[in-house]
């Protein structure tokens, strides 16, 4: 299975989630996208379900000199969540990564302010919350996001992604009440390999999508 782009992936996710909704399994639902790549996917889900869309900004913490290799993540002002096993294997300490955490937290706050302005984050207590991203690789940012939300007492916490590494999808089942991953290729390697168009999503696209949904 390959997806043409993030919008098509979101439409496929929406079809599966609409089955749950038709059975009354998604009451009082809120869709939260992990920006930037999760926003076009989540927009299709929110549109199909007729529910609000917002963002939860999470930032990956990468290896020093190799930012694409995630070894942790942060959400809001929560403490960083590290892959402690990876840190041990690499001989890294959390103290060594303090500058990286500070840099990513500054970028997290910049994006949250840019995307939401002075609008407060949505109240998730007692709601069905669907967290959406464009794929699941290591699962670092998804895990941090789910743990952040769990502390806010949602009624049900769902992670929905079009494609993911099988081991990461399995691990997320201990963090979310339900995990929906449409495709778990054994030769996963990277999220972008399963999209024909995986162009980077811009800040302007995120802002425009949120504004469009808010106006409906």
């Amino acid at each position: 299975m390959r997806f043409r782009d993030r919008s098509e992936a979101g439409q496929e996710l929406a079809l599966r989630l609409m089955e749950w909704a038709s059975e009354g399994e998604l009451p009082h639902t809120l869709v939260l996208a992990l920006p930037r790549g999760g926003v076009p996917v989540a927009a299709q889900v929110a549109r199909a379900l007729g529910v609000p869309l917002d963002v939860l900004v999470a930032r990956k913490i990468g290896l020093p000199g190799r930012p694409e290799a995630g070894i942790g993540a942060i959400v809001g002002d929560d403490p960083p969540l590290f892959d402690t096993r990876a840190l041990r294997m690499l001989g890294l300490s959390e103290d060594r990564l303090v500058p990286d955490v500070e840099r990513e937290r500054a970028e997290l706050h910049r994006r949250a302010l840019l995307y939401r302005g002075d609008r407060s984050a949505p109240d998730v207590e007692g709601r069905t919350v669907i967290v959406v991203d464009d794929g699941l690789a290591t699962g670092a940012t998804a895990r941090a996001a789910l743990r952040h939300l769990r502390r806010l007492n949602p009624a049900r916490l769902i992670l929905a992604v079009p494609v993911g590494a099988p081991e990461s999808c399995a691990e997320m089942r201990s963090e979310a009440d339900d995990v929906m991953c449409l495709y778990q290729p054994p030769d996963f390697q990277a999220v972008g390999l399963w999209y024909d168009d995986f162009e980077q999503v811009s800040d302007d696209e995120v802002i425009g999508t949120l504004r469009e949904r808010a106006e409906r």
Side-chain angles (χ1 to χ4, degrees), residues 128-172:
T128 300
V129 179
I130 305 175
V131 179
V132 178
D133 205 353
D134 55 12
L136 193 68
T138 66
T141 53
R143 181 179 286 105
L146 292 167
R147 290 191 182 182
H148 171 83
L149 290 167
R150 182 68 76 188
R151 289 191 288 272
L152 302 179
N153 299 316
R156 184 180 180 189
L157 190 53
I158 300 168
L159 176 66
V161 294
V163 61
E167 61 275 15
S168 296
C169 293
E171 289 171 1
M172 289 304 106

Side-chain angles (χ1 to χ4, degrees), residues 36-89:
R36 293 181 286 200
V39 172
V41 183
Q44 296 296 330
V45 172
R47 183 176 296 116
L49 296 177
V51 300
L53 169 68
D54 212 314
V55 292
L56 178 62
V57 184
R59 293 292 295 173
K60 178 174 67 177
I61 302 166
L63 279 172
R66 291 183 57 200
E68 75 285 353
I71 53 172
I74 52 172
V75 177
D77 291 319
D78 293 357
L81 181 63
F82 287 109
D83 182 338
T84 54
R85 182 175 57 181
L87 291 183
R88 286 195 302 270
M89 290 176 61

Side-chain angles (χ1 to χ4, degrees), residues 83-103:
D83 182 338
T84 54
R85 182 175 57 181
L87 291 183
R88 286 195 302 270
M89 290 176 61
L90 295 164
L92 288 171
S93 69
E94 295 187 16
D95 289 344
R96 166 68 178 81
L97 296 167
V98 166
D100 303 84
V101 172
E102 290 178 346
R103 182 179 62 251

Side-chain angles (χ1 to χ4, degrees), residues 2-9 11 194-198:
R2 288 179 61 85
F3 302 101
R4 184 175 62 251
D5 54 21
R6 291 180 178 89
S7 291
E8 181 184 71
Q11 291 164 11
W194 306 99
Y195 287 84
D196 294 329
D197 177 2
F198 200 65

